Structure formats: C-alpha cells, structure tokens
Amino acid sequence: MALSDGAHASTEDFSYFTLRRRATGTSPSTSIFGISCTRQMDAIELLNRPPDVTRSTVQKAIVVIADSPQFFGQLREKLSMVTRAWFGQKDFTDVDILKVGQKFQESLVKNLQDTEDDQYLGGQENFLTNEDSGSRFRSFIKGAHTRIQAPNPGALQMLLTATEGLLRRLQDSADPEFDSYEKSLVMPTSLRTSERDSLLSYMGLPLQLFGKGALFGPYTSLQQLDILADYGTKSYIVGSTNSLLLQQKDRYSDILVNLDERTINITSSSLRAALTLSAADRRWIDFLSTTVHDNWDENNPSQPKTMGYMGSEEFIRLQFEEYLLALLSSVKYHLYLLHSPPLPTIDGDPTIDFNPDFIHNWRQTSNFALFDSHTDSHLFDIVEPRHPTAGNLSFEDIQRRLALQIQTLHLDDRLATSKEALNKHLATGHKKVSTAFSNLWADIEAMREAQRKRAEIANLGTIRSNSDTGGPPSENAPPAQHFVARARDLTAAQASVQAAGQKAGAYISSWGAWASERRKGWAKGSPNASSDNVAAGGTSLTKLGKWNSGIAGKKVREEKGGDGIGRLDA
C-alpha cells in the first residue's frame, strides 16, 4: 500500500490509502488513513550498505497513519522534508532523524487540532475544473462503481475536498461492512443561519457517500480487487496507478476516469443518460473552468496569479458547495410538488436544470434515503431551489450542445483507422508512381544513349569507306564526310586565288614600266618626240601586248584610229 505501482518511475512519490482498525471494548471498527512518501537512490551511494540491499537501486518509504485525512495537505510537505533528509544521510541504519520527525509530527497534530476546515491535499486546481468534473462529481453522489486511473494516488482524494466536510466523515469508508455513522446520526432540530457549519448540517451535508455497502480507496492494489467484486460491495470509488487494470475496465468499473488522458469512459449504458450534464450544468462548469484558467499560475499551482479570491481553492470549494445546496433544495421542492400545489414564488420544477434522469437515479441510492430521512422537508425555504446558472438557452448553450453531440459521435476514433489506412495506401501509391517514372526516364535515357552510339559507329564506318575508295562525298553523306570534302575544296580555291594574284601583280608592274618611259619622253620636248614616241610607244605596246598575251593566254592586236591614237583590243 505504501509503495504504489509505478513508484520506481519517479524520484519522489506519495501514496494515500485506507486501512481497517478492529473494534475494541470502547470503540467500534473504523477506518484509519495512511500517507507515505517514497524515494529511491542508487545503492552504490550508500555509506553503509546493509546485506538486504541486493539490487542496484534501493527504495524506501516513510509512512504516517492518522485517524482522519483532513490534515494530509500540510502533513505531506513535512513528510517530504523528513524523507529527503533521511535519504540525504545515505545511511538507513541511522533512524535518529525519524524520531525527531515523530516529535515534529506530534507538534503538528497539536497545532492542527483547533482547525476544523478541510485542508488542501496538494493537488492542482485544474483537476477539479476541467470539462469532466461535473460528471465525476455526479458519479460520486450517484454511488456508482467509479475507478480513477491516475499517476498520483492522491488525485482521487483531491476531488473529495470539493464536497464540503466529506473528509471528516470517512470513518466507514475502508470496509463495506462498516456502518457506524448511520447508527449515530441524529436529525438536526435547530438552525443558526449566521453559522456556516450549522447551515450545512441542517441541509444534510456532508452526504454519507461511504456507508454500508460502499468502499473508498484512494489507492487500491491488485490484492484488493476481490473486495470490489464482492456481492456486498454495492458502490465504490477507488484509485489505481496500474495500467493493467485498464484491460479489465468493463469488469471492475461502471465509470473509468483516466487522468493521464483526461478522459471519462462510462461503460454502463444505464448511467450515460443520468450523468449527462444539462445546459445549465454545462454553463456552470464552463464558468468555473474559465474563471480558474484565466487566473491559473502554472509555475505555482497552490495559488492564483493575482493572489486574489477568484480562481483560488476557496473559490472552487464554495462554487461546488453552492451547487450542492441548490441541488438538495431543488430535490426537496420536487418532492413537495408530488403532493402539494406549486408555490407562486418558485417558477416550475427546478430539478429540470439538474437533469431529471440523474435525480431519478440518485433517489434510488442509500445515501439519498439517509439524506431524505434526516433532513427537513422544507429545505427550499432556507436555500432558494434554483440552479446557480439557470436561465433560457443562449447561443453559447447551443454551441456547447453541438460540440457535445459531435464529441459523442467519436468521429476521431472512428476515422482514425480509416485515416491510417488511407495514408498508408497514399504513401504506397506515391512510391509506386515515383518508381515507375524513374524507370521510364531511365529507359528513355538508355535508348538515347544506344542511338547515339549506333550513329557514331555508322559515321566512322562511312568515313573509313570514303577514305579507302577516294570518291567525292555524296549529298546524302553524313556531316563528318561533308566536312572532309569541304576542307579539300577550300584548299584548291586558295591555290587558284594565289596564282591569279601573282598574274595581276606582274601585269600592273609592266604597265607601270611603260607609263614611266612615256613620261620621260614628254619631259625632253623634241618635235619628233611625239611621233617617235608614238611609234616607239606603238612598238612597245605591241611588244607588251604580245608579252601579256603570252602570260594571260589571250590574243592582243594593235589598231589605230582616225585620231592617230593607238588602241589595244583584247
């Protein structure tokens, strides 16, 4: 009980549990409550390693047993300090610090004896104000087989603090056979409205949720499962940290609250309608959640951001108290309407806002019978029988109802398998298409490479055959063959141009020599120079013409015109 399942997974862990104390000559059998602080360390770090430590890790717990869990909130912090100091010694044979811890515990209990308020158990406030808190709270009142699956064994006890005074009325919770509270219960006959405790007692609070046939176990081990399945156990609220029990949720629970996943699973079909929240209930829990979350300090879960009242632990307690008082008053007025006419000051039946199915189921339980028989029938004269957030439907209510209906369809769960299969098929199809395109492109490249190689081989064969035969390249010859032919034509053209240039140069030189001789004759100025020069020029031209014809391959003849000027006709 002190070492919970999974405690080895954390450096420090706490466990809350209930035990049975046998009857004595002066007192009947009753319940006692334990809280333990578990720590672990490597065995190699021990200064004095006892022979019973055979593993690499040593794990020990310090346990405190008390008559009531009312002060476990403060005791938890002190127990943690003592356990940490004991492990800090690295010597478990030295227990002097535990003796000092016992003296400190005695002084703590003495200081708390004058305090009657329920103490905070060290949990987080948002555990009490998430969207499923209303259903959990109703399941407790209803008295169903409720199991809380949580990493912290104290999570269940945190929720009980929301019910005013319940932690002080758990003397019969450890065994379904215990029934001492009902035997000693007396109906209150007086009321002092100025005193809160007197008002709560007159209204029948706290409700006796754990009487005969009921069991409360903040942490329930596997060895206690037989008690849950016993015929005498009509209802129970137990906590568990062992995930193996999730596989047997249909056997051991009507309602399974999984705090790891923040879900609530109602396995009993008869309870689904009873635990469904009405529009007013959802409006109330939404207001509570919004207020707490807006003022929530994640770095310091023990207090709101502004250190104010809104969103604090006391704020949450009073909201649940107001809700519960309104519920009790409305039920009493509902019973009044069964045999009496309605009162003009009260509009209709207020239990409609609390879900009539839940009211009907609660009236079948033993804790309602005890409440009804030990309270006044006109409690609605003390507390107004009206839901804290009663009123007509608003747009926000419609939004919440639509969101709830979509949530109840479990579309995410139903489509999860289809989505997974679809994604798998899409991935496989994408892979196949990519592979096909890759193979196609590789085939195309291979074909291109083969064609290129075949063309190169054909070109080389054609060039070699032309070079062997010496024939001219054909018009249909490949590009390489045309290139060789064009290169040969260009060489022959260059040779022809060079020969023509040489011939033109020789002609121009001869012409220049003749022109030079003529200028010399004109320069002397003799009378016969003209005719002589003409004759000489004619002779010279004739000779030059004959020379040129020998060079250029053309016939040159001399003719004289009527003007006495010789001409050369080619």
Side-chain angles (χ1 to χ4, degrees):
M1 300 294 289
L3 293 175
S4 61
D5 298 327
H8 61 278
S10 58
T11 304
E12 183 181 68
D13 191 27
F14 293 89
S15 178
Y16 302 84
F17 52 91
T18 56
L19 299 171
R20 293 175 294 229
R21 184 167 60 183
R22 297 179 180 178
T24 62
T26 58
S27 61
S29 300
T30 186
S31 305
I32 56 177
F33 306 89
I35 176 175
S36 66
C37 179
T38 306
R39 294 186 68 89
Q40 61 181 343
M41 65 181 299
D42 294 334
I44 196 174
E45 298 180 5
L46 292 176
L47 301 177
N48 183 12
R49 183 169 181 170
D52 59 340
V53 178
T54 58
R55 298 185 178 182
S56 60
T57 303
V58 58
Q59 188 177 39
K60 291 186 177 294
I62 298 179
V63 183
V64 175
I65 305 298
D67 294 333
S68 173
Q70 182 179 354
F71 310 115
F72 277 6
Q74 296 186 25
L75 188 57
R76 169 188 170 123
E77 302 299 327
K78 309 303 179 184
L79 185 60
S80 176
M81 291 190 298
V82 173
T83 307
R84 191 181 304 112
W86 188 39
F87 270 74
Q89 297 178 151
K90 300 182 180 180
D91 184 4
F92 294 129
T93 60
D94 185 1
V95 294
D96 290 339
I97 191 172
L98 299 182
K99 297 178 181 179
V100 175
Q102 291 177 355
K103 294 181 180 179
F104 184 78
Q105 178 186 351
E106 293 174 358
S107 63
L108 177 64
V109 173
K110 184 178 180 180
N111 293 334
L112 295 177
Q113 285 179 349
D114 297 334
T115 305
E116 296 184 358
D117 294 336
D118 294 336
Q119 300 298 318
Y120 184 46
L121 294 178
Q124 295 184 350
E125 293 170 343
N126 58 1
F127 170 75
L128 300 175
T129 57
N130 58 47
E131 59 183 4
D132 294 326
S133 297
S135 297
R136 289 199 300 265
F137 186 67
R138 286 190 168 188
S139 68
F140 291 174
I141 299 176
K142 167 66 178 64
H145 295 175
T146 305
R147 183 163 64 87
I148 310 293
Q149 184 74 22
N152 182 3
L156 172 57
Q157 202 154 330
M158 298 172 198
L159 187 56
L160 296 185
T161 62
T163 305
E164 178 61 37
L166 185 57
L167 290 180
R168 290 174 283 169
R169 299 293 185 268
L170 296 177
Q171 59 266 37
D172 297 332
S173 62
D175 195 311
E177 298 297 327
F178 291 171
D179 194 20
S180 61
Y181 178 78
E182 183 178 358
K183 295 178 180 178
S184 60
L185 184 61
V186 178
M187 180 177 176
T189 57
S190 61
L191 170 64
R192 293 185 295 274
T193 55
S194 59
E195 297 181 7
R196 180 166 173 263
D197 290 342
S198 176
L199 173 63
L200 297 178
S201 177
Y202 191 83
M203 295 293 296
L205 294 179
L207 296 175
Q208 184 58 9
L209 303 182
F210 305 105
K212 188 174 181 61
L215 175 67
F216 169 63
Y219 170 68
T220 302
S221 61
L222 297 177
Q223 293 78 10
Q224 293 180 300
L225 295 181
D226 293 339
I227 301 178
L228 304 183
D230 189 77
Y231 178 77
T233 306
K234 305 301 181 181
S235 64
Y236 53 78
I237 301 175
V238 296
S240 174
T241 60
N242 196 324
S243 59
L244 295 177
L245 292 178
L246 293 176
Q247 303 174 4
Q248 305 182 30
K249 58 184 180 181
D250 295 335
R251 179 180 180 184
Y252 291 107
S253 62
D254 295 331
I255 303 171
L256 175 62
V257 180
N258 193 327
L259 296 184
D260 291 329
E261 301 177 358
R262 293 186 175 273
T263 59
I264 178 170
N265 185 14
I266 304 176
T267 58
S268 175
S269 58
S270 61
L271 290 177
R272 288 195 181 96
L275 298 181
T276 300
L277 301 182
S278 64
D281 290 331
R282 293 190 176 279
R283 196 181 304 127
W284 174 76
I285 198 66
D286 183 66
F287 158 75
L288 185 59
S289 301
T290 302
T291 304
V292 172
H293 293 168
D294 290 345
N295 296 276
W296 183 249
D297 188 359
E298 296 182 355
N299 299 324
N300 189 0
S302 62
Q303 60 189 19
K305 294 179 181 178
T306 59
M307 295 292 292
Y309 169 72
M310 297 299 293
S312 64
E313 174 194 352
E314 188 65 20
F315 169 80
I316 298 174
R317 291 176 187 268
L318 291 180
Q319 295 303 316
F320 275 94
E321 178 182 313
E322 179 187 9
Y323 179 90
L324 192 54
L325 291 175
L327 171 64
L328 300 178
S329 178
S330 299
V331 170
K332 284 292 185 177
Y333 184 70
H334 174 75
L335 298 177
Y336 170 82
L337 292 177
L338 297 179
H339 54 80
S340 301
L343 298 177
T345 56
I346 301 176
D347 185 14
D349 187 356
T351 58
I352 296 178
D353 290 330
F354 292 95
N355 188 353
D357 290 333
F358 167 71
I359 301 299
H360 174 75
N361 280 266
W362 181 42
R363 290 179 58 187
Q364 314 303 318
T365 62
S366 58
N367 76 76
F368 175 83
L370 188 62
F371 157 76
D372 190 36
S373 60
H374 289 77
T375 54
D376 190 271
S377 60
H378 285 65
L379 292 181
F380 51 86
D381 291 335
I382 308 300
V383 175
E384 181 183 7
R386 185 177 184 274
H387 196 287
T389 54
N392 297 326
L393 284 175
S394 61
F395 181 73
E396 289 77 9
D397 296 330
I398 298 176
Q399 286 183 322
R400 295 190 193 97
R401 180 173 297 181
L402 291 176
L404 176 62
Q405 291 178 351
I406 294 175
Q407 183 179 0
T408 54
L409 293 177
H410 300 288
L411 295 179
D412 294 338
D413 298 337
R414 296 180 180 180
L415 296 178
T417 306
S418 301
K419 287 181 179 179
E420 183 179 357
L422 180 60
N423 292 334
K424 184 177 180 180
H425 288 304
L426 287 176
T428 304
H430 181 269
K431 184 177 180 180
K432 291 181 178 180
V433 172
S434 300
T435 304
F437 273 108
S438 299
N439 295 337
L440 178 61
W441 186 256
D443 295 340
I444 293 175
E445 292 294 329
M447 293 176 60
R448 289 179 176 177
E449 183 66 20
Q451 291 177 354
R452 186 181 65 81
K453 290 182 178 180
R454 287 195 298 269
E456 290 180 354
I457 293 173
N459 294 339
L460 291 176
T462 304
I463 293 173
R464 288 177 180 177
S465 62
N466 292 334
S467 61
D468 294 339
T469 57
S474 62
E475 295 180 357
N476 298 326
Q481 187 173 355
H482 280 296
F483 178 76
V484 175
R486 290 174 182 174
R488 293 176 180 175
D489 295 341
L490 181 61
T491 303
Q494 289 177 349
S496 300
V497 171
Q498 185 176 5
Q502 292 177 355
K503 293 178 180 179
Y507 180 81
I508 294 173
S509 298
S510 300
W511 178 264
W514 175 80
S516 177
E517 291 178 357
R518 295 294 294 177
R519 282 196 301 272
K520 290 179 180 179
W522 292 336
K524 292 180 180 181
S526 58
N528 298 324
S530 175
S531 60
D532 294 340
N533 287 339
V534 170
T539 304
S540 299
L541 289 174
T542 303
K543 294 180 178 179
L544 180 61
K546 293 179 180 180
W547 181 79
N548 285 337
S549 65
I551 296 176
K554 296 183 179 181
K555 184 178 180 180
V556 180
R557 60 186 178 90
E558 179 181 3
E559 294 182 356
K560 292 183 179 179
D563 53 0
I565 300 175
R567 295 181 174 87
L568 291 177
D569 294 330

